[in-house]
Amino acid sequence: MRWLIAISALPLFGIYAAFGIAPQTITQDIVTQTITEEVALPVSEAVAFNESSYWQTEVVRRDDTLDSLIDRLNIKNAEAIGFLKYNNEASLIAAHLRPGRIIRSETNAAGVLSRLEYQVTPEQTLTIEAADNGYRLVKDSPDVVMRSVFKSATINSSLFGATDAAEIPDQVAIQLAEIFSSDIDFHSDLRKGDRLVVVYEVGYSHGEPVRSGKVLAAEFVNNGKSYRAVLFRHPDGHSNYYTPEGKSLHKSFLRSPLEFTRISSGFSLGRFHPILQRMRAHKGVDYAAPTGTRVKAAADGTVDFVGVKGGYGNVVILRHDNGMKTVYGHLSKFSQGLRSGKKVSQSDIIGYVGMSGMATGPHLHYELLLNNQHRDPLRVALPTAVPIPAKYRQEFNLASSNLVAQLELLSRRQVAVLE
């Protein structure tokens, strides 16, 4: 057994020996030496910490003041604070603080302001930046990117109540009322449960919404009946609203000369007059509205009369084609430059609501005459406009089909949510 173990160990000794006699192997002691050498570090391109600048973005709150914003934006140097507070042009920032707007600042760690940006209006941005002799202010137009926004709403009480609840801007709600004004009387036709879906433009600057644009497409379901509208921009530059089939929604006459209000007294052949204290025909419609509300021309026409006329007080009378006239009474004032013989276009502002003449409160008295015969403005059949021109039909069909597809998707989703 001992001989067997000894014979088995022989290969291991061979390997050990092989390692021991490997060529070029140093077998004597190795001498070590310490070398010290100076190494130059690379120059950093980064600025020192106290010179670094930082952007900070804040949303203007309902109770914000210029002082509270200066504090939150980490602006600490007296020169910048003094410029913001006492420079005549920079004071526009404090005068135009509106909840929800964005204000941005660039400061260093010590709070020294390098740059501040605030959009005071959708069309104007104020920029305050450091200069050699302090600070300077620059006014410019913001870079705005238009995007499509999709919203839906359900009527519970009023159009504006529904759009407010859905966070749809008032300017979009006004457009909806104008687009469908020839088919829907928004003063009396709305029903609880009516639905709307709308695609509209919103302008964005620095990723934040700054203004609402045009309605691109909309559907309004009123008392179970659906009305649709799509915007088509003509190659010649103007735009108009049509049904998806190409029928124009631009009527020759607006159903109402006010953007949005309520009817306080309708057309009647026998109404008790609140001032004369007797029964008398009321051959028009009264729209209650605050003094100063803008009054629009119901259609293209020519000013036939502007001035004071008996119980009408301040009144404008417009003459239109096809023997039609419109009367706008009890105005507080007329639009500047309005005179007899002047041509006006539909929706031009001709005056402002008041209570001149025989009126117990501010309202617009509106009449419509056909061949000198009074007609109920809310019931008379209004002339229709020209449909989409044949030369634009193919282009319109392509644009319309895309917008209608978006409306149908929105409408199905809204119905699913309601169910």
Side-chain angles (χ1 to χ4, degrees):
M1 180 63 69
R2 288 195 298 269
W3 283 106
L4 181 61
I5 293 172
I7 294 171
S8 301
L10 284 176
L12 297 176
F13 287 114
I15 294 172
Y16 176 82
F19 278 106
I21 61 173
Q24 299 179 354
T25 301
I26 301 174
T27 57
Q28 66 271 24
D29 293 338
I30 299 173
V31 179
T32 61
Q33 184 179 2
T34 302
I35 299 174
T36 303
E37 186 176 331
E38 237 179 73
V39 179
L41 295 174
V43 179
S44 174
E45 296 182 357
V47 296
F49 178 79
N50 62 354
E51 293 298 327
S52 297
S53 61
Y54 310 90
W55 277 101
Q56 185 162 331
T57 301
E58 291 288 339
V59 178
V60 178
R61 301 170 185 170
R62 189 172 299 278
D63 57 347
D64 262 333
T65 62
L66 183 60
D67 285 330
S68 65
L69 283 170
I70 287 173
D71 184 59
R72 292 213 310 277
L73 291 169
N74 191 40
I75 301 171
K76 299 186 183 303
N77 61 313
E79 191 174 14
I81 294 172
F83 186 86
L84 287 168
K85 287 185 175 182
Y86 305 118
N87 180 273
N88 289 335
E89 290 186 305
S91 63
L92 288 173
I93 294 177
H96 289 82
L97 292 181
R98 301 290 185 272
R101 290 188 181 174
I102 303 299
I103 187 167
R104 305 171 70 235
S105 69
E106 183 185 15
T107 61
N108 65 11
V112 177
L113 179 68
S114 299
R115 186 180 179 90
L116 182 141
E117 297 174 356
Y118 182 61
Q119 190 161 339
V120 292
T121 70
E123 293 77 28
Q124 187 179 74
T125 296
L126 293 184
T127 300
I128 294 172
E129 54 190 15
D132 294 336
N133 57 347
Y135 287 90
R136 66 177 180 178
L137 183 141
V138 179
K139 297 179 181 178
D140 57 16
S141 299
D143 294 329
V144 177
V145 178
M146 301 304 291
R147 300 175 186 168
S148 297
V149 172
F150 307 79
K151 288 289 183 71
S152 60
T154 302
I155 304 295
N156 287 318
S157 58
S158 67
L159 174 63
F160 280 105
T163 53
D164 284 347
E167 297 183 346
I168 298 173
D170 286 350
Q171 288 301 317
V172 174
I174 290 171
Q175 289 183 64
L176 290 171
E178 291 179 345
I179 291 168
F180 295 111
S181 62
S182 297
D183 297 309
I184 302 172
D185 184 351
F186 284 87
H187 309 294
S188 59
D189 288 348
L190 293 186
R191 300 288 183 272
K192 185 175 182 178
D194 286 354
R195 296 179 286 109
L196 70 92
V197 292
V198 59
V199 183
Y200 61 94
E201 295 174 323
V202 172
Y204 285 81
S205 179
H206 298 296
E208 299 293 334
V210 294
R211 70 166 180 259
S212 55
K214 279 185 170 291
V215 169
L216 301 177
E219 179 183 33
F220 206 105
V221 179
N222 172 235
N223 202 21
K225 185 175 181 180
S226 174
Y227 300 90
R228 285 179 174 178
V230 294
L231 176 70
F232 181 68
R233 292 185 167 101
H234 293 252
D236 61 7
H238 80 280
S239 57
N240 205 352
Y241 290 96
Y242 298 87
T243 67
E245 298 74 33
K247 180 182 176 183
S248 177
L249 294 175
H250 177 84
K251 304 294 185 181
S252 296
F253 275 79
L254 298 177
R255 183 67 72 179
S256 168
L258 295 182
E259 288 177 341
F260 198 80
T261 183
R262 66 181 178 85
I263 297 172
S264 56
S265 183
F267 187 93
S268 174
L269 296 178
R271 183 196 70 158
F272 186 77
H273 196 283
I275 295 180
L276 298 178
Q277 295 293 303
R278 59 184 174 84
M279 296 298 292
R280 185 184 183 185
H282 188 249
K283 298 181 180 181
V285 175
D286 288 346
Y287 293 99
T291 297
T293 301
R294 301 185 305 172
V295 177
K296 301 180 294 184
D300 297 346
T302 304
V303 178
D304 197 50
F305 179 86
V306 55
V308 180
K309 195 177 185 73
Y312 289 105
N314 295 326
V315 63
V316 175
I317 301 176
L318 301 182
R319 183 175 67 255
H320 311 281
D321 293 336
N322 302 320
M324 301 188 81
K325 285 185 178 182
T326 50
V327 180
Y328 311 80
H330 305 314
L331 302 176
S332 60
K333 61 180 180 178
F334 308 111
S335 291
Q336 189 174 3
L338 198 70
R339 63 184 184 279
S340 294
K342 182 177 180 179
K343 293 189 177 298
V344 296
S345 299
Q346 186 181 76
S347 295
D348 282 353
I349 305 303
I350 58 174
Y352 301 86
V353 169
M355 52 183 297
S356 59
M358 297 176 63
T360 57
H363 70 280
L364 171 71
H365 176 79
Y366 176 60
E367 296 180 4
L368 189 148
L369 294 87
L370 177 60
N371 297 324
N372 292 322
Q373 299 294 317
H374 284 86
R375 301 296 182 89
D376 186 346
L378 300 179
R379 299 184 180 278
V380 67
L382 298 175
T384 57
V386 180
I388 193 78
K391 61 182 178 179
Y392 300 142
R393 171 59 71 171
Q394 185 174 358
E395 187 177 351
F396 169 80
N397 287 341
L398 178 62
S400 175
S401 60
N402 290 333
L403 291 170
V404 169
Q406 295 175 12
L407 286 179
E408 289 178 346
L409 180 64
L410 275 172
S411 184
R412 287 197 297 268
R413 186 175 70 175
Q414 185 190 32
V415 171
V417 170
L418 292 174
E419 291 178 350

